[in-house]
Amino acid sequence: MCLAVLDLAVNVNTSSKLTRALLYIPGKLYQFAVIVRNALYETGYLKQHSLEGATISVGNITLGGTGKTTLVEYIARYLSAEGYTTSILSRGYARKSKGQRIVSDGEQIFSDHLEAGDEPALLASRLPGVVVIVDEDKRAAGKTAEQRYQCEVHILDDGFQHLKLKRDLNLLVIDATDPFGGGEMVPLGRLREPLYGIHRADAIIVTRADRPFDEEYILNVVRKVCGEDVPVLYFYHSVTGLRDLKTDEIALPQQFYQKKVVAFSALGNPEVFIQDLLHYGMDVVLEHRFPDHHYYTQQEIDAIIQSASRVGAQAIVTTEKDAVKLIGINFAEIPVYSLQIEIESDDEIRLKSLLLRAITKKKREKKR
């Protein structure tokens, strides 16, 4: 039932009074189920399990894009550079496979976006040296990472609600421009669980903090639920280039100033993608939006190409998350680019300190 309600929230417009009335009872049932489940774990009635290695969870309290995947990539890259054998454990949302799949052993990629899901496939392609495993049971995935690849650190991708597995650092990611999903749980709002669930966070990561937002409101909510001791860190992303999907050559975003482009994406928050293009002066003459995690067909891409030709576009632009799902797709002669982004912050040192302290603490506990 929970997954059905989540899918419904993504695909249904809840702005009309009739729709809200029809969804009220399913929404309350879902809310009750989440509250009971959380209470069973918090009271110890349902058991949490631990992995041998340090476990770092990165997750959301809302549906839709918050920049979580970019943060997971940043953390995995940093820890790998520090010499830790690192794994990313993901459910692999919307993948076509079941059970456990080794997406990457750090040296070779074994699963494409259909078997792994788009986000794990993207992470595997961008993180050589990092093990990526998808499994509905993240504990089982972690065991495989430890026994087969001797991983010392695990990053739970989208792990905030995965209460079955204990974590040594619980990072909650919220979007500065829509931090709490309207204050209502799905399907009437975008909250995955009641707002008080943020009390489980060891740190709050506010993404897109370079955009206008109500910082006082966010801090008031966090302090009310979590107290004064939970750190709040601010991050944002910047565009570093656009990759030509045919040649892999990287162009500077400034080269697209005043160029007519057609944009397409399948994201939780596609508006941020469009704002990035507009920020660099691109003339977005047409936009195609698909549901989050959508798998493209050649027919859909052909329709996008035809529309680009019709409006006189000079290029088609998509995201890196979408680009991993376009292998084998024919784009004819029109150039197609994927937007390259990376995360930045004045709080990088604070985040790195939290990560290293959690790993060190876990090592000390193992020695006892």
Side-chain angles (χ1 to χ4, degrees):
M1 175 183 174
C2 291
L3 286 179
V5 172
L6 290 176
D7 289 338
L8 189 64
V10 171
N11 294 304
V12 173
N13 182 357
T14 59
S15 59
S16 76
K17 291 182 179 180
L18 176 60
T19 301
R20 290 181 64 85
L22 292 172
L23 294 177
Y24 181 80
I25 292 178
K28 287 300 179 182
L29 290 173
Y30 172 67
Q31 180 175 341
F32 178 73
V34 171
I35 290 172
V36 170
R37 175 180 176 272
N38 288 358
L40 290 175
Y41 275 109
E42 290 181 7
T43 58
Y45 189 84
L46 289 179
K47 184 180 178 182
Q48 287 188 305
H49 301 276
S50 298
L51 293 170
E52 289 294 314
T55 303
I56 298 161
S57 171
V58 181
N60 312 328
I61 199 167
T62 59
L63 293 177
T66 61
K68 168 187 62 62
T69 303
T70 310
L71 183 64
V72 168
E73 179 185 342
Y74 172 89
I75 292 172
R77 193 182 303 280
Y78 168 67
L79 294 177
S80 181
E82 287 293 303
Y84 295 103
T85 307
T86 303
S87 79
I88 296 173
L89 312 178
S90 174
R91 177 182 149 210
Y93 186 79
R95 62 189 170 113
K96 303 298 184 182
S97 64
K98 296 291 183 182
Q100 188 174 113
R101 291 288 187 277
I102 309 299
V103 185
S104 171
D105 64 358
E107 297 180 359
Q108 183 178 351
I109 295 176
F110 299 101
S111 301
D112 64 7
H113 65 281
L114 294 173
E115 282 199 332
D118 51 8
E119 290 170 356
L122 172 62
L123 291 167
S125 70
R126 293 180 61 86
L127 291 168
V130 174
V131 174
V132 181
I133 303 175
V134 295
D135 196 331
E136 292 83 358
D137 184 346
K138 289 188 174 79
R139 182 195 181 202
K143 291 290 186 183
T144 298
E146 291 176 346
Q147 295 167 6
R148 192 179 300 181
Y149 304 111
Q150 292 74 53
C151 289
E152 306 165 88
V153 181
H154 309 287
I155 303 170
L156 303 186
D157 178 26
D158 199 13
F160 197 72
Q161 285 77 33
H162 193 80
L163 303 181
K164 183 178 179 181
L165 194 57
K166 287 184 181 179
R167 62 285 320 269
D168 301 287
L169 182 64
N170 208 11
L171 301 176
L172 177 63
V173 185
I174 64 175
D175 181 347
T177 63
D178 184 18
F180 306 119
E184 291 187 287
M185 283 186 61
V186 296
L188 299 178
R190 292 179 53 246
L191 283 174
R192 292 179 165 188
E193 60 177 295
L195 193 55
Y196 69 77
I198 67 176
H199 78 275
R200 300 195 305 273
D202 296 312
I204 308 291
I205 310 292
V206 180
T207 58
R208 297 169 186 143
D210 58 330
R211 302 169 191 266
F213 72 101
D214 191 341
E215 181 180 6
E216 183 178 358
Y217 167 61
I218 292 175
L219 290 176
N220 284 341
V221 172
V222 171
R223 298 299 178 232
K224 182 177 180 180
V225 178
C226 303
E228 298 291 332
D229 296 331
V230 172
V232 179
L233 285 61
Y234 298 93
F235 280 73
Y236 58 93
H237 72 264
S238 61
V239 177
T240 59
L242 289 95
R243 179 174 65 90
D244 188 315
L245 297 191
K246 291 182 180 178
T247 67
D248 272 343
E249 294 180 357
I250 305 296
L252 295 174
Q254 292 83 356
Q255 294 174 242
F256 289 77
Y257 180 69
Q258 292 188 338
K259 280 191 175 183
K260 290 184 176 182
V261 303
V262 167
F264 75 94
S265 64
L267 303 171
N269 189 353
E271 191 58 41
V272 174
F273 167 53
I274 298 301
Q275 289 172 5
D276 284 336
L277 303 184
L278 296 175
H279 176 76
Y280 284 95
M282 299 182 207
D283 183 7
V284 182
V285 292
L286 194 61
E287 180 190 359
H288 297 270
R289 294 186 179 184
F290 296 86
D292 197 10
H293 305 287
H294 176 74
Y295 291 101
Y296 299 103
T297 66
Q298 183 66 59
Q299 289 76 15
E300 290 169 335
I301 299 302
D302 289 343
I304 293 172
I305 293 170
Q306 290 171 11
S307 70
S309 177
R310 188 171 60 251
V311 298
Q314 297 163 277
I316 296 173
V317 184
T318 189
T319 72
E320 280 287 272
K321 175 179 167 179
D322 291 291
V324 299
K325 298 179 286 188
L326 300 174
I327 297 171
I329 296 286
N330 179 23
F331 281 96
E333 297 303 317
I334 190 165
V336 183
Y337 296 87
S338 63
L339 200 69
Q340 308 265 289
I341 63 173
E342 65 179 26
I343 202 165
E344 297 182 13
S345 174
D346 293 332
D347 289 326
E348 286 186 75
I349 293 176
R350 294 177 67 197
L351 176 59
K352 291 175 180 177
S353 176
L354 287 171
L355 295 168
L356 295 179
R357 280 187 297 183
I359 294 169
T360 301
K361 182 180 178 182
K362 179 71 172 186
K363 286 184 175 180
R364 287 202 206 100
E365 291 174 352
K366 286 177 63 178
K367 290 179 180 179
R368 291 175 185 170

